[in-house]
């Protein structure tokens, strides 16, 4: 799909699959999975990263030309998230940030108030902000209004593998958004990624679905094809849902059957 690029802010990508690195069983498996996924953009958790360590995830991303997207995982207030983003900019030399402000450890759901505050500060500070948010169309619009470059609603809680629990909200978000909408969190298998794309998402972000699969490399390849298939289906346009059957062949011009004159010889 070389003619159908994903554009976020001023950057284009041929892949619509954004990968995370958390939970990989080893650096070697993670590297193979990233290559199998075809991703060009991958998140790393700044609060768990030592950029000075050789042989780290950063060296893998650099070796394969995969753009790094630092995130603020582990932050519970706007202040913590803003400080983490600024540290990431200094350490990694990028203004891009996947903004996460978590409400509590049990659900790992976003805190909408702190998230919006942090997004506004970081946009004003020149960051390209991609916020991890609830599947709330009103909050999505507010995040776009303050200048976020993309909106990343969760399908279901992080690591749950429950897929998209509220497709209706997703469709409301994608139909109204003026920036790319990216499914973030909840995908458990390839059909979840395909559904997100069919609902109008511009991309899919996932980690656990691959890194905790029994065969991470194989699942990464499956996700790559699922995102592509879902995107094609969205562009093609699905048929309307109906309560009753509708014959695929037209009713006009049907041959009249005469029991006295069988169509085939006796």
């Amino acid at each position: 799909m070389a003619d159908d690029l994903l554009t976020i802010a001023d950057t284009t990508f041929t892949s619509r699959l954004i990968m995370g690195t958390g939970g990989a069983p080893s650096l070697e498996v993670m590297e193979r999975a990233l290559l199998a996924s075809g991703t060009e953009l991958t998140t790393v958790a700044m609060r768990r990263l030592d950029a000075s360590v050789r042989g780290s995830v950063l060296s893998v991303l650099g070796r394969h030309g995969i753009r790094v997207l630092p995130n603020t995982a582990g932050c519970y207030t706007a202040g913590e998230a803003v400080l983490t983003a600024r540290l990431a900019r200094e350490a990694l030399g990028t203004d891009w940030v996947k903004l996460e402000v978590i409400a509590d450890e049990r659900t790992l759901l976003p805190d909408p108030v702190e998230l919006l505050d942090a997004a506004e500060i970081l946009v004003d500070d020149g960051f390209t902000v991609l916020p991890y948010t609830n599947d709330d169309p009103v909050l999505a619009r507010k995040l776009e209004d303050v200048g976020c470059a993309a909106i990343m609603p969760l399908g279901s809680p992080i690591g749950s593998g429950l897929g998209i629990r509220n497709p209706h909200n997703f469709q409301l978000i994608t139909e109204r958004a003026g920036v790319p909408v990216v499914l973030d969190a909840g995908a458990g298998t390839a059909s979840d990624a395909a559904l997100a794309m069919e609902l109008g998402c511009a991309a899919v972000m996932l980690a656990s679905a691959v890194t905790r699969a029994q065969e991470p490399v194989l699942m990464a390849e499956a996700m790559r094809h699922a995102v592509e298939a879902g995107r094609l289906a969205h562009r093609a346009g699905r048929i309307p849902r109906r309560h009753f059957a509708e014959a695929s062949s037209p009713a006009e011009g049907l041959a009249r059957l005469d029991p006295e004159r069988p169509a085939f010889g006796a």
Side-chain angles (χ1 to χ4, degrees):
M1 299 194 292
D3 62 335
D4 182 35
L5 303 176
L6 168 65
T7 300
I8 300 176
D10 57 353
T11 304
T12 58
F13 304 91
T14 58
S15 170
R16 292 179 179 271
L17 180 55
I18 303 172
M19 293 290 290
T21 53
S26 70
L27 200 60
E28 188 266 340
V29 170
M30 184 200 72
E31 182 172 7
R32 290 172 53 211
L34 290 176
L35 293 177
S37 75
T39 187
E40 297 169 298
L41 182 64
T42 294
T43 67
V44 295
M46 278 309 298
R47 299 191 64 174
R48 301 186 180 92
L49 178 70
D50 185 347
S52 65
V53 175
R54 299 185 65 182
S56 69
V57 61
L58 291 179
S59 61
V60 171
L61 300 183
R63 184 157 60 244
H64 298 292
I66 299 172
R67 183 169 183 149
V68 62
L69 176 61
N71 68 47
T72 60
C75 294
Y76 290 83
T77 67
E80 290 177 354
V82 169
L83 176 59
T84 303
R86 288 171 176 166
L87 291 173
R89 177 161 62 184
E90 185 174 335
L92 303 179
T94 176
D95 288 330
W96 283 43
V97 63
K98 182 193 168 199
L99 178 61
E100 297 184 25
V101 186
I102 302 303
D104 61 72
E105 290 184 359
R106 181 173 175 79
T107 65
L108 297 180
L109 293 174
D111 183 320
V113 176
E114 297 292 320
L115 179 70
L116 194 57
D117 285 348
E120 193 163 10
I121 294 169
L122 290 172
V123 169
D124 288 345
D125 204 13
F127 280 89
T128 298
V129 180
L130 291 75
Y132 161 65
T133 180
N134 294 297
D135 60 353
D136 177 353
V138 175
L139 180 58
R141 179 171 52 80
K142 288 181 180 294
L143 289 166
E144 182 179 346
D145 288 346
V146 301
C148 291
I151 305 297
M152 304 182 74
L154 57 85
S156 50
I158 291 174
S160 67
L162 291 172
I164 298 176
R165 306 304 290 171
N166 195 337
H168 179 66
N169 271 23
F170 258 76
Q171 198 143 22
L172 288 175
I173 294 172
T174 59
E175 287 175 355
R176 299 179 63 182
V179 296
V181 177
V182 182
L183 167 67
D184 186 2
T189 189
S191 56
D192 298 328
L195 175 60
M197 300 302 291
E198 290 174 12
L199 291 172
C201 286
V204 169
M205 157 80 210
L206 54 88
S208 300
V210 165
T211 59
R212 293 174 181 164
Q214 294 180 27
E215 297 289 345
V217 179
L218 200 56
M219 184 60 84
E221 185 175 358
M223 290 297 186
R224 175 181 191 164
H225 293 303
V227 168
E228 293 175 355
R231 177 65 179 175
L232 287 173
H234 176 71
R235 293 176 66 191
R238 63 159 297 127
I239 64 170
R241 291 182 171 85
R242 299 178 186 277
H243 289 293
F244 299 102
E246 183 180 77
S248 56
S249 299
E252 296 80 12
L254 283 178
R256 296 194 174 197
L257 299 181
D258 184 351
E260 301 299 324
R261 300 178 59 187
F264 303 100

Coordinates of all heavy atoms in Angstrom, one line a residue, residues 56-112:
S56 N 21.0 -2.2 24.2 CA 19.6 -2.0 24.7 C 18.7 -1.9 23.5 O 19.0 -2.1 22.3 CB 19.6 -0.7 25.4 OG 19.7 0.4 24.5
V57 N 17.4 -1.7 23.8 CA 16.4 -1.6 22.8 C 16.7 -0.5 21.8 O 16.4 -0.6 20.6 CB 15.0 -1.4 23.4 CG1 14.9 -0.1 24.3 CG2 13.9 -1.4 22.4
L58 N 17.3 0.6 22.3 CA 17.6 1.7 21.4 C 18.6 1.3 20.4 O 18.5 1.8 19.2 CB 18.2 2.9 22.3 CG 17.2 3.6 23.2 CD1 17.9 4.7 24.0 CD2 16.0 4.2 22.4
S59 N 19.6 0.4 20.7 CA 20.5 0.0 19.7 C 19.8 -0.8 18.6 O 20.2 -0.8 17.4 CB 21.7 -0.8 20.3 OG 21.2 -1.9 21.0
V60 N 18.8 -1.6 19.0 CA 18.1 -2.4 18.0 C 17.3 -1.5 17.1 O 17.3 -1.6 15.9 CB 17.1 -3.3 18.8 CG1 16.1 -4.0 17.8 CG2 17.8 -4.4 19.6
L61 N 16.6 -0.5 17.7 CA 15.9 0.4 16.8 C 16.8 1.2 15.9 O 16.5 1.4 14.7 CB 15.1 1.4 17.7 CG 14.1 0.8 18.7 CD1 13.3 1.9 19.4 CD2 13.1 -0.1 18.0
G62 N 17.9 1.6 16.4 CA 18.8 2.4 15.6 C 19.4 1.5 14.4 O 19.6 2.0 13.3
R63 N 19.7 0.3 14.7 CA 20.3 -0.6 13.7 C 19.3 -0.8 12.5 O 19.8 -1.0 11.4 CB 20.6 -2.0 14.4 CG 21.3 -3.0 13.5 CD 22.1 -4.0 14.2 NE 21.2 -4.8 15.1 CZ 21.3 -4.8 16.5 NH1 22.2 -4.0 17.1 NH2 20.6 -5.5 17.2
H64 N 18.0 -0.8 12.8 CA 17.0 -1.1 11.7 C 16.3 0.2 11.3 O 15.3 0.1 10.5 CB 16.0 -2.1 12.2 CG 16.7 -3.4 12.5 ND1 17.2 -4.2 11.6 CD2 16.9 -4.1 13.7 CE1 17.7 -5.3 12.2 NE2 17.5 -5.2 13.5
G65 N 16.7 1.3 11.7 CA 16.1 2.6 11.2 C 14.7 2.8 11.7 O 13.9 3.4 11.0
I66 N 14.3 2.2 12.8 CA 13.0 2.4 13.4 C 13.0 3.6 14.3 O 13.8 3.7 15.2 CB 12.6 1.1 14.2 CG1 12.6 -0.1 13.3 CG2 11.2 1.3 14.8 CD1 12.4 -1.4 14.0
R67 N 12.0 4.5 14.0 CA 11.9 5.7 14.8 C 11.5 5.4 16.2 O 10.6 4.6 16.5 CB 11.0 6.7 14.1 CG 10.9 8.0 14.8 CD 10.1 9.0 14.0 NE 10.1 10.3 14.6 CZ 10.0 11.5 13.9 NH1 10.0 11.5 12.6 NH2 10.0 12.6 14.6
V68 N 12.1 6.1 17.2 CA 11.8 5.8 18.6 C 10.7 6.8 19.0 O 10.8 8.0 18.7 CB 13.0 5.9 19.5 CG1 13.6 7.3 19.4 CG2 12.7 5.6 20.9
L69 N 9.8 6.3 19.8 CA 8.7 7.1 20.3 C 8.7 6.9 21.9 O 8.1 6.0 22.4 CB 7.3 6.7 19.8 CG 6.1 7.4 20.3 CD1 6.2 8.9 20.0 CD2 4.8 6.8 19.7
P70 N 9.4 7.8 22.6 CA 9.4 7.7 24.0 C 8.0 7.9 24.6 O 7.2 8.7 24.1 CB 10.3 8.8 24.5 CG 10.3 9.8 23.4 CD 10.1 9.0 22.1
N71 N 7.7 7.1 25.7 CA 6.4 7.3 26.4 C 6.6 7.6 27.8 O 7.7 7.5 28.4 CB 5.5 6.1 26.2 CG 6.0 4.8 26.9 OD1 6.4 4.9 28.1 ND2 6.0 3.7 26.2
T72 N 5.6 8.1 28.5 CA 5.6 8.5 29.9 C 5.0 7.5 30.8 O 4.3 7.8 31.8 CB 5.0 9.9 30.0 OG1 3.6 9.8 29.6 CG2 5.7 10.9 29.2
A73 N 5.1 6.2 30.4 CA 4.5 5.2 31.2 C 5.0 5.2 32.7 O 6.2 5.5 32.9 CB 4.8 3.8 30.6
G74 N 4.1 5.0 33.6 CA 4.5 5.1 35.0 C 4.2 6.4 35.7 O 4.5 6.6 36.8
C75 N 3.7 7.4 34.9 CA 3.4 8.7 35.4 C 2.0 8.8 35.9 O 1.1 8.4 35.2 CB 3.7 9.8 34.4 SG 5.5 9.9 33.9
Y76 N 1.8 9.5 37.0 CA 0.4 9.6 37.6 C -0.1 11.0 37.7 O -1.2 11.2 38.1 CB 0.4 8.9 39.0 CG 0.5 7.4 38.9 CD1 1.8 6.8 38.9 CD2 -0.6 6.6 39.0 CE1 1.9 5.5 38.8 CE2 -0.4 5.2 38.9 CZ 0.8 4.7 38.8 OH 1.0 3.3 38.8
T77 N 0.8 12.0 37.4 CA 0.4 13.4 37.4 C 0.9 14.0 36.1 O 1.8 13.6 35.5 CB 0.9 14.1 38.6 OG1 2.3 14.2 38.5 CG2 0.6 13.4 39.9
A78 N 0.2 15.2 35.8 CA 0.7 16.0 34.7 C 2.1 16.4 34.9 O 2.9 16.4 33.9 CB -0.2 17.2 34.5
G79 N 2.5 16.8 36.1 CA 3.8 17.2 36.3 C 4.9 16.1 36.1 O 5.9 16.4 35.5
E80 N 4.6 14.9 36.5 CA 5.5 13.8 36.3 C 5.7 13.5 34.8 O 6.8 13.3 34.2 CB 5.0 12.5 36.9 CG 5.1 12.5 38.5 CD 4.5 11.3 39.1 OE1 3.9 10.4 38.3 OE2 4.6 11.1 40.3
A81 N 4.5 13.6 34.0 CA 4.6 13.3 32.6 C 5.3 14.4 31.8 O 6.1 14.1 30.9 CB 3.1 13.2 32.1
V82 N 5.1 15.6 32.2 CA 5.8 16.7 31.5 C 7.3 16.6 31.8 O 8.2 16.7 30.8 CB 5.3 18.1 32.0 CG1 6.2 19.2 31.5 CG2 3.9 18.3 31.5
L83 N 7.7 16.3 33.0 CA 9.1 16.2 33.3 C 9.8 15.0 32.6 O 10.9 15.1 32.0 CB 9.3 16.0 34.8 CG 10.7 15.7 35.3 CD1 11.7 16.9 34.9 CD2 10.8 15.5 36.8
T84 N 9.0 13.9 32.5 CA 9.6 12.7 31.8 C 9.7 13.0 30.3 O 10.7 12.6 29.7 CB 8.6 11.5 32.0 OG1 8.5 11.3 33.4 CG2 9.1 10.3 31.3
A85 N 8.7 13.7 29.7 CA 8.8 14.1 28.3 C 10.0 15.0 28.0 O 10.8 14.8 27.0 CB 7.6 14.7 27.9
R86 N 10.3 15.9 28.9 CA 11.4 16.8 28.7 C 12.8 16.0 28.9 O 13.7 16.3 28.2 CB 11.3 18.0 29.7 CG 10.2 18.9 29.3 CD 9.9 20.0 30.4 NE 8.9 21.0 29.9 CZ 8.3 21.8 30.8 NH1 8.6 21.8 32.1 NH2 7.4 22.7 30.3
L87 N 12.8 15.1 29.8 CA 14.0 14.3 29.9 C 14.2 13.4 28.7 O 15.4 13.2 28.2 CB 13.9 13.4 31.2 CG 13.9 14.1 32.5 CD1 13.6 13.1 33.7 CD2 15.3 14.7 32.8
A88 N 13.1 12.9 28.1 CA 13.2 12.1 26.9 C 13.8 13.0 25.8 O 14.6 12.5 25.0 CB 11.9 11.5 26.6
R89 N 13.3 14.2 25.7 CA 13.8 15.1 24.6 C 15.3 15.3 24.7 O 16.0 15.3 23.7 CB 13.0 16.4 24.6 CG 13.5 17.4 23.6 CD 12.5 18.5 23.3 NE 12.2 19.3 24.4 CZ 11.3 20.3 24.5 NH1 10.6 20.5 23.4 NH2 11.1 21.0 25.5
E90 N 15.7 15.5 25.9 CA 17.1 15.7 26.1 C 18.0 14.5 25.9 O 19.1 14.5 25.3 CB 17.4 16.2 27.6 CG 18.8 16.6 27.9 CD 18.9 17.2 29.3 OE1 17.9 17.7 29.8 OE2 20.0 17.1 29.8
A91 N 17.5 13.3 26.3 CA 18.2 12.1 26.2 C 18.2 11.5 24.7 O 19.2 11.0 24.3 CB 17.7 11.0 27.1
L92 N 17.1 11.6 24.1 CA 16.9 11.0 22.8 C 16.8 11.9 21.6 O 16.9 11.5 20.4 CB 15.6 10.1 22.8 CG 15.5 9.1 23.9 CD1 14.2 8.3 23.8 CD2 16.7 8.1 23.8
G93 N 16.8 13.2 21.9 CA 16.8 14.2 20.8 C 15.5 14.2 19.9 O 15.6 14.4 18.7
T94 N 14.4 13.9 20.5 CA 13.1 13.9 19.8 C 12.1 14.7 20.5 O 12.0 14.6 21.8 CB 12.6 12.4 19.6 OG1 11.3 12.5 18.9 CG2 12.4 11.7 20.9
D95 N 11.2 15.4 19.8 CA 10.1 16.1 20.4 C 8.8 15.3 20.4 O 7.8 15.8 20.8 CB 9.9 17.4 19.6 CG 11.0 18.5 19.8 OD1 11.5 18.5 20.9 OD2 11.3 19.2 18.9
W96 N 8.9 14.1 19.9 CA 7.7 13.3 19.9 C 7.6 12.6 21.2 O 8.6 12.1 21.8 CB 7.8 12.2 18.8 CG 7.5 12.7 17.4 CD1 8.0 13.9 16.9 CD2 6.7 12.1 16.4 NE1 7.5 14.1 15.6 CE2 6.8 13.0 15.3 CE3 6.0 10.9 16.3 CZ2 6.1 12.7 14.1 CZ3 5.4 10.6 15.1 CH2 5.4 11.5 14.0
V97 N 6.3 12.4 21.7 CA 6.1 11.7 22.9 C 4.7 11.1 22.9 O 3.8 11.7 22.5 CB 6.2 12.7 24.2 CG1 5.2 13.8 24.1 CG2 6.1 11.9 25.5
K98 N 4.7 9.8 23.3 CA 3.4 9.2 23.6 C 3.1 9.5 25.1 O 3.8 9.0 26.0 CB 3.5 7.7 23.4 CG 2.2 7.0 23.6 CD 2.3 5.5 23.7 CE 1.0 4.9 24.2 NZ 1.2 3.5 24.7
L99 N 2.1 10.3 25.2 CA 1.7 10.8 26.6 C 0.8 9.8 27.3 O -0.3 9.5 26.9 CB 1.1 12.1 26.4 CG 0.6 12.8 27.7 CD1 1.8 13.1 28.7 CD2 -0.1 14.1 27.4
E100 N 1.3 9.3 28.5 CA 0.5 8.5 29.3 C 0.5 9.1 30.7 O 1.5 9.3 31.3 CB 1.1 7.0 29.4 CG 1.1 6.3 28.1 CD 1.6 4.9 28.3 OE1 1.5 4.3 29.4 OE2 2.2 4.3 27.3
V101 N -0.7 9.3 31.2 CA -0.9 9.7 32.6 C -1.9 8.7 33.2 O -3.1 8.8 32.9 CB -1.3 11.2 32.8 CG1 -1.3 11.5 34.3 CG2 -0.5 12.1 32.0
I102 N -1.5 7.9 34.1 CA -2.3 6.8 34.6 C -3.0 7.2 35.9 O -2.5 7.9 36.7 CB -1.5 5.5 34.8 CG1 -0.7 5.1 33.5 CG2 -2.3 4.4 35.4 CD1 -1.6 4.8 32.4
A103 N -4.3 6.7 36.0 CA -5.1 7.1 37.2 C -4.7 6.2 38.4 O -4.7 6.7 39.5 CB -6.6 6.9 36.9
D104 N -4.5 4.9 38.2 CA -4.2 4.0 39.3 C -3.6 2.7 38.7 O -3.7 2.4 37.6 CB -5.4 3.7 40.1 CG -6.5 3.0 39.3 OD1 -6.3 1.8 39.0 OD2 -7.5 3.6 39.1
E105 N -2.9 2.0 39.6 CA -2.2 0.8 39.2 C -3.1 -0.4 38.9 O -2.8 -1.2 38.1 CB -1.3 0.3 40.3 CG -0.1 1.3 40.6 CD 0.9 0.7 41.6 OE1 0.6 -0.4 42.2 OE2 1.9 1.4 41.9
R106 N -4.3 -0.4 39.5 CA -5.2 -1.6 39.3 C -5.7 -1.6 37.8 O -5.8 -2.7 37.2 CB -6.3 -1.6 40.3 CG -7.2 -2.8 40.1 CD -8.2 -2.8 41.3 NE -9.2 -3.9 41.1 CZ -9.0 -5.1 41.4 NH1 -7.8 -5.5 41.9 NH2 -9.9 -6.1 41.2
T107 N -6.2 -0.5 37.4 CA -6.8 -0.5 36.0 C -5.9 0.0 34.9 O -6.1 -0.3 33.8 CB -8.1 0.5 36.0 OG1 -7.6 1.8 36.3 CG2 -9.1 0.1 37.1
L108 N -4.9 0.8 35.3 CA -4.0 1.5 34.3 C -4.8 2.3 33.3 O -4.3 2.6 32.2 CB -3.1 0.4 33.6 CG -2.2 -0.4 34.5 CD1 -1.4 -1.4 33.6 CD2 -1.2 0.5 35.2
L109 N -6.0 2.8 33.7 CA -6.7 3.6 32.9 C -6.2 5.1 32.9 O -5.6 5.5 33.9 CB -8.2 3.7 33.3 CG -9.0 2.3 33.1 CD1 -10.3 2.4 33.7 CD2 -9.0 2.0 31.6
P110 N -6.3 5.8 31.8 CA -5.8 7.2 31.8 C -6.6 8.1 32.8 O -7.8 7.9 33.0 CB -6.0 7.6 30.4 CG -6.2 6.4 29.6 CD -6.9 5.4 30.5
D111 N -5.9 9.1 33.4 CA -6.5 10.1 34.2 C -6.8 11.2 33.2 O -5.9 12.0 32.8 CB -5.6 10.6 35.3 CG -6.2 11.6 36.2 OD1 -7.0 12.5 35.7 OD2 -6.0 11.5 37.4
P112 N -8.1 11.5 32.9 CA -8.4 12.4 31.8 C -8.1 13.9 32.2 O -7.7 14.6 31.3 CB -10.0 12.3 31.6 CG -10.4 11.6 32.9 CD -9.3 10.8 33.4

